[in-house]
Amino acid sequence: MQILKEKQSLKEQIQAYKNDGLSIGFVPTMGALHQGHISLIQKALSLCDKVVVSIFVNPTQFDNPEDLEKYPRDLEKDVDRIKKISDQVIVFSPAANEIYGSNVTSEEFSFDGLEHQMEGKFRKGHFNGVGTIVKKLFEMVQPDKAFFGEKDYQQLQIIKKLVEKHHLPVEVIGCPIDREISGLARSSRNERLTTEQRQNAAAIYKVLQQVKEDFGTKSASELIDWVRDRFRSESSLELEYFEIANADTLRPVEEKKEGEKYRAFIAAYSGDIRLIDNIALN
Ligand code: AMP
């Protein structure tokens, strides 16, 4: 399995694959790989000849320096995990200066309003950072297909918008959320939870499942009140936001209508660890 750190060697390898007529799948990650990431890599392997997995903790998408500093990093462990499933994967793990040089800043994007909802309200500049790194990586990897998890559903919608607006020649494929047995959505940040916090965090998915059952008979504002109360009684979790939104525009909605697609979204803190999750309501 190849592990590349320089964009020049990546470029040469990609060119060789393209010359051989091989299709390229791409899975961008920040490492600390878990089964959720592996499910994306497996999907990519099933649809493409070669798969590039980038492992890069992108500084420009963090609005909180402590979160960036504490983000788990273990390249050797990540590589071992990937080796267990395939030798057709190329790991691209550059240093920050290989990507940004001395200019560690974001480009400014408009994603037609998607960026102002939910995560955009609470993580200033986050989606400019995401757009910047994904656009740079797409230019380097030149993938035919790129795979993103519905775990970060707003990010997935934003990447689709990035591709549409910048006419990038890549197909974006959304992949389902992989969960721990308790229902907690897998996340690299879960590693930082204590055993007790991890057990309690399963409440997030339970709340989402209840909302799925009730939306239609109850309105969004009734459910918002219910979720707020529910979190008040969960001493180890602090709700940051809960929203029910149109699944395409991500704008908040009040009532369920026939023929529309909806999703519910939660961000909550367990101690200083921020967790997000979402569920389709149709
Ligand atoms: P990250 O390393 O957190 O930036 O995630 C890299 C990719 O893996 C993103 O497209 C995420 O949405 C996706 N991902 C992370 N966790 C999960 C999960 N539990 N299930 C499915 N995809 C996930």
Side-chain angles (χ1 to χ4, degrees), residues 28-30 34 36-37 40 71 148-149 151-152 176-178 186:
T29 82
M30 297 204 296
H34 50 68
H37 298 111
L40 266 59
Y71 202 85
F148 291 85
K151 161 80 173 26
D152 301 280
I177 303 174
D178 193 80
R186 284 191 206 278

Side-chain angles (χ1 to χ4, degrees), residues 252-264:
V253 298
E254 180 55 15
E255 303 286 345
K256 194 175 193 177
K257 292 192 192 114
E258 272 306 303
E260 299 274 316
K261 284 198 300 175
Y262 302 101
R263 266 183 120 94

Side-chain angles (χ1 to χ4, degrees), residues 83-97:
K83 268 189 195 154
K84 285 198 183 108
I85 58 161
S86 172
D87 55 6
Q88 296 302 304
V89 174
I90 300 98
V91 171
F92 180 51
S93 168
N97 70 343

Side-chain angles (χ1 to χ4, degrees), residues 58-219:
N58 174 37
T60 62
Q61 72 188 69
F62 284 81
D63 59 335
N64 176 347
E66 198 182 323
D67 190 24
L68 171 62
E69 189 201 320
K70 288 191 175 164
Y71 202 85
R73 294 164 173 89
D74 191 340
L75 182 61
E76 212 174 306
K77 200 166 152 197
D78 288 343
V79 167
D80 281 347
R81 251 206 120 134
I82 299 174
K83 268 189 195 154
K84 285 198 183 108
I85 58 161
S86 172
D87 55 6
Q88 296 302 304
V89 174
I90 300 98
V91 171
F92 180 51
S93 168
N97 70 343
E98 185 68 10
I99 298 289
Y100 286 104
S102 57
N103 186 22
V104 188
T105 55
S106 296
E107 205 179 312
E108 294 268 325
F109 293 93
S110 159
F111 298 114
D112 294 350
L114 290 172
E115 73 276 28
H116 301 312
Q117 308 297 334
M118 299 179 292
E119 294 294 287
K121 286 184 198 147
F122 290 92
R123 302 184 72 188
K124 288 287 163 226
H126 173 65
F127 288 121
N128 280 332
V130 169
T132 301
I133 187 63
V134 171
K135 191 158 160 273
K136 280 179 185 287
L137 289 170
F138 278 0
E139 278 158 16
M140 293 175 199
V141 178
Q142 298 173 53
D144 299 283
K145 298 182 198 301
F147 299 81
F148 291 85
E150 289 180 345
K151 161 80 173 26
D152 301 280
Y153 188 86
Q154 187 174 9
Q155 170 176 280
L156 168 65
Q157 294 302 105
I158 279 184
I159 302 298
K160 285 182 178 165
K161 186 62 80 179
L162 174 83
V163 164
E164 179 195 312
K165 290 189 90 165
H166 294 259
H167 310 288
L168 306 178
V170 50
E171 182 187 353
V172 175
I173 298 180
C175 304
I177 303 174
D178 193 80
R179 297 181 179 281
E180 298 184 2
I181 293 167
S182 69
L184 176 64
R186 284 191 206 278
S187 163
S188 305
R189 290 184 177 87
N190 294 358
E191 278 184 30
R192 294 182 49 218
L193 298 169
T194 64
T195 310
E196 197 187 344
Q197 283 176 322
R198 205 157 175 155
Q199 277 164 3
N200 293 339
I204 296 173
Y205 185 51
K206 294 207 174 76
V207 166
L208 287 174
Q209 284 177 305
Q210 190 63 49
V211 166
K212 184 181 176 115
E213 211 172 299
D214 290 347
F215 186 50
T217 50
K218 290 188 182 148
S219 67

